[in-house]
């Protein structure tokens, strides 16, 4: 019996798989050919109720659980990472932070547009001099008349170039920093003093772009503060913990797809008069991939289930992110090998996946940072949180 995230979700997986093949794969081909995300990508997700799926129905969402969301990420990532990014921008880091910590007015202002496809949000934590060590950020917000004045620079912000609003983490008390001195603000596109100053293309899909955002005497009213002043670091870290389970799920989806492609290729390709599937060297690569995926999936599903049961999954989520992001790198590498020359031909899915998955070991906390969090928990509590 295949591993199930939650038994009641197995039918949902079938539905998601068919939807991905029927609706998303043709759009993925367009994305690969043009290097851009056509409007239909968001429209299709909207039409089928996936935009803002984790948001409360009162705000136009479907009230989906983290398990349902992660299952959708797993299935959509089999097609193209772009779809998981749209999901994140409308149901992930920033939207869920607003749902959890926002005022009634903030929820009413920002959340409905995420579900109906008219708005998009980004998450602004990283700076040129503060990546892994995000608490050393320099972006400052100081009190002004009736609000705050923000100065500083964020970079590597996914979707920052197209986002309608960004959650921006700033230092409000340099003495306290991560211990109550960092605050989160929601800054709208078009706010004077806020501009997109660079857009980076990265390894992987050309359609995925990271933006540099600059704040020069950018005034935001008190109503832009998310949560209490000083809560920003806690809010950001809480979002990232759940985000890591989303990253793990995406890695699982790509791995699953790549293994499936390897089995198909090995079953039809003949060399020296025999199918590749009959060669032990090829079998072992596929077997190693399948064994790693099964173990990583079991850990991730268990952790998601524990989250759904109300447990703090802190460093267990780090373990999932670490294991799954490192695993997908090995599986993509083996997939290229099994496909031979075809595996490195531009326009062929294996080649795109190989480039596209590299960032999973970096974004939302590098592998080294995940190890640090796990080790910290081991030394403090003698075990990993909630396993
Ligand atoms: C595709 C992608 C999307 C992203 N999207 C966003 C986004 O939407 N919003 C956002 O805010 N950020 C985003 N980021 C930024 C990402 O979170 C940072 O790149 C990441 O946290 C690492 O920071 P850095 O790049 O500055 O590397 P650095 O912190 O400079 O690290 C460089 C290397 O040193 C290692 N290292 C650092 N400190 C230690 C240590 N103490 N011990 C051992 N090793 C260490 C790191 O693990 C890494 O290998 C994104 C990044 C990528 C790749």
């Amino acid at each position: 019996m295949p591993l199930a995230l939650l038994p009641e979700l197995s039918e949902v997986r079938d539905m998601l798989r068919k939807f991905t093949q029927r609706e998303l794969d043709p759009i993925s081909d367009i994305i690969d050919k043009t290097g851009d995300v056509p409007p239909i990508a968001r429209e299709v997700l909207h039409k089928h109720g996936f935009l803002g799926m984790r948001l409360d129905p009162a705000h136009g969402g479907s009230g989906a659980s983290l398990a349902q969301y992660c299952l959708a990420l797993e299935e959509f990532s089999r097609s193209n990472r772009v779809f998981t990014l749209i999901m994140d921008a409308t149901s992930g880091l920033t939207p869920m932070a607003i749902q959890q910590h926002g005022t009634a007015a903030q929820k009413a202002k920002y959340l409905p547009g995420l579900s109906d496809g008219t708005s998009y949000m980004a998450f602004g934590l990283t700076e040129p001099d503060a990546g892994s060590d995000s608490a050393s950020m320099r972006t400052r917000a100081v009190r002004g008349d009736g609000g705050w004045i923000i100065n500083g620079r964020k970079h590597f912000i996914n979707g920052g170039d197209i986002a309608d609003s960004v959650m921006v983490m700033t230092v409000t008390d340099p003495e306290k920093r991560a211990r109550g001195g960092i605050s989160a603000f929601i800054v709208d596109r078009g706010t004077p003093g806020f501009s997109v100053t660079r857009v980076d293309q990265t390894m992987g899909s050309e359609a995925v772009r990271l933006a540099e955002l600059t704040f020069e005497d950018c005034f935001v009213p008190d109503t832009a503060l998310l949560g209490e002043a000083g809560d920003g670091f806690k809010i950001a870290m809480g979002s990232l913990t759940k985000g890591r389970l989303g990253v793990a799920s995406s890695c699982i989806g790509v791995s699953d797809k790549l293994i499936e492609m390897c089995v198909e290729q090995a079953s039809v390709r003949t060399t020296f008069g025999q199918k590749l599937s009959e060669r032990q060297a090829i079998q072992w690569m596929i077997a190693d991939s399948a064994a790693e995926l099964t173990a990583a999936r079991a850990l991730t599903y268990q952790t998601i289930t524990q989250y759904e049961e109300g447990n703090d999954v802190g460093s267990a989520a780090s373990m999932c992110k670490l294991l799954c992001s490192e695993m997908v790198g090995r599986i993509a590498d083996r997939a290229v090998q099994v496909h031979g020359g075809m595996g490195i031909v531009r326009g062929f899915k294996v080649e795109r996946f190989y480039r596209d998955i590299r960032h999973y070991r970096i974004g939302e906390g590098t592998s080294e940072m995940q190890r640090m969090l796990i080790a910290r928990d081991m030394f403090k509590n003698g075990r990993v949180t909630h396993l």
Side-chain angles (χ1 to χ4, degrees):
M1 194 169 125
L3 277 172
L5 181 47
L6 290 172
E8 61 272 26
L9 291 186
S10 56
E11 278 178 23
V12 180
R13 185 192 291 282
D14 289 346
M15 181 274 287
L16 289 168
R17 180 79 49 101
K18 286 187 188 126
F19 167 75
T20 302
Q21 289 166 344
R22 190 185 64 241
E23 305 282 347
L24 302 188
D25 281 348
I27 302 172
S28 172
D29 292 341
I30 298 172
I31 294 169
D32 284 347
K33 278 198 191 96
T34 62
D36 268 314
V37 183
I40 194 166
R42 244 204 275 179
E43 285 160 18
V44 161
L45 291 173
H46 173 231
K47 188 172 148 201
H48 291 83
F50 291 111
L51 292 188
M53 70 182 282
R54 289 214 65 213
L55 303 178
D56 288 339
H59 301 116
S62 333
S65 64
L66 182 71
Q68 290 168 325
Y69 176 70
C70 284
L71 196 60
L73 293 184
E74 190 184 320
E75 290 299 320
F76 296 173
S77 67
R78 290 169 58 92
S79 180
N80 198 309
R81 172 158 70 106
V82 162
F83 300 115
T84 67
L85 296 178
I86 297 174
M87 296 287 281
D88 182 60
T90 59
S91 245
L93 299 179
T94 297
M96 290 310 286
I98 294 175
Q99 175 152 295
Q100 198 180 344
H101 304 280
T103 60
Q106 286 169 335
K107 290 181 199 176
K109 177 175 176 187
Y110 292 107
L111 301 184
L114 296 171
S115 311
D116 69 21
T118 55
S119 110
Y120 206 75
M121 297 197 98
F123 180 79
L125 177 67
T126 305
E127 299 183 2
D129 291 315
S132 300
D133 182 13
S134 52
S136 69
M137 67 179 69
R138 293 183 183 173
T139 298
R140 275 285 263 142
V142 294
R143 270 248 161 249
D145 191 12
W148 299 79
I149 298 160
I150 303 175
N151 276 289
R153 201 149 47 105
K154 298 286 173 185
H155 80 163
F156 299 162
I157 309 306
N158 225 324
D161 53 329
I162 54 167
D164 300 287
S165 319
V166 186
M167 173 174 149
V168 185
M169 270 53 74
T170 65
V171 179
T172 43
D173 184 340
E175 296 290 307
K176 292 189 183 153
R177 290 198 160 268
R179 292 187 176 76
I182 289 174
S183 304
F185 293 92
I186 312 168
V187 184
D188 300 337
R189 178 206 280 275
T191 305
F194 166 35
S195 51
V196 176
T197 38
R198 199 184 68 231
V199 179
D200 292 316
Q201 279 203 322
T202 59
M203 187 165 106
S205 172
E206 277 84 17
V208 177
R209 291 173 198 139
L210 306 181
E212 179 190 72
L213 311 178
T214 299
F215 302 87
E216 287 172 318
D217 293 330
C218 173
F219 175 83
V220 290
D222 281 327
T223 50
L225 178 68
L226 184 63
E228 299 293 325
D231 280 354
F233 202 68
K234 215 165 53 186
I235 293 174
M237 293 305 120
S239 296
L240 286 172
T241 298
K242 283 162 260 166
R244 283 169 190 146
L245 292 172
V247 173
S249 301
S250 301
C251 294
I252 288 171
V254 179
S255 300
D256 196 55
K257 176 71 183 174
L258 284 167
I259 294 170
E260 194 179 285
M261 292 176 80
C262 287
V263 169
E264 277 166 21
Q265 173 71 2
S267 305
V268 296
R269 177 75 170 165
T270 299
T271 65
F272 301 96
Q274 258 188 314
K275 293 270 169 58
L276 284 182
S277 58
E278 289 164 40
R279 306 287 180 190
Q280 194 179 56
I282 300 295
Q283 290 172 354
W284 284 18
M285 280 194 267
I286 293 173
D288 283 344
S289 295
E292 285 190 46
L293 174 61
T294 305
R297 195 175 236 157
L299 173 69
T300 305
Y301 287 2
Q302 182 187 351
T303 307
I304 292 171
T305 304
Q306 290 189 336
Y307 174 87
E308 296 290 31
E309 288 168 357
N311 297 302
D312 167 19
V313 294
S315 56
S318 290
M319 274 194 169
C320 297
K321 203 259 178 186
L322 172 67
L323 280 184
C324 292
S325 62
E326 302 250 330
M327 167 193 74
V328 72
R330 290 188 294 275
I331 290 179
D333 189 66
R334 292 184 198 119
V336 169
Q337 203 63 17
V338 168
H339 284 80
M342 274 308 292
I344 57 164
V345 170
R346 277 279 164 130
F348 189 61
K349 223 167 182 170
V350 171
E351 186 274 342
R352 196 246 298 148
F353 276 136
Y354 180 82
R355 284 181 288 122
D356 219 17
I357 50 84
R358 183 58 182 86
H359 78 98
Y360 284 129
R361 285 155 62 186
I362 299 170
E364 303 205 22
T366 63
S367 290
E368 291 71 29
M369 290 305 104
Q370 306 312 319
R371 290 187 178 97
M372 196 178 84
L373 291 168
I374 296 163
R376 193 179 282 170
D377 215 12
M378 297 298 295
F379 285 111
K380 191 170 160 213
N381 301 317
R383 66 183 181 86
V384 169
T385 312
H386 236 86
L387 287 178

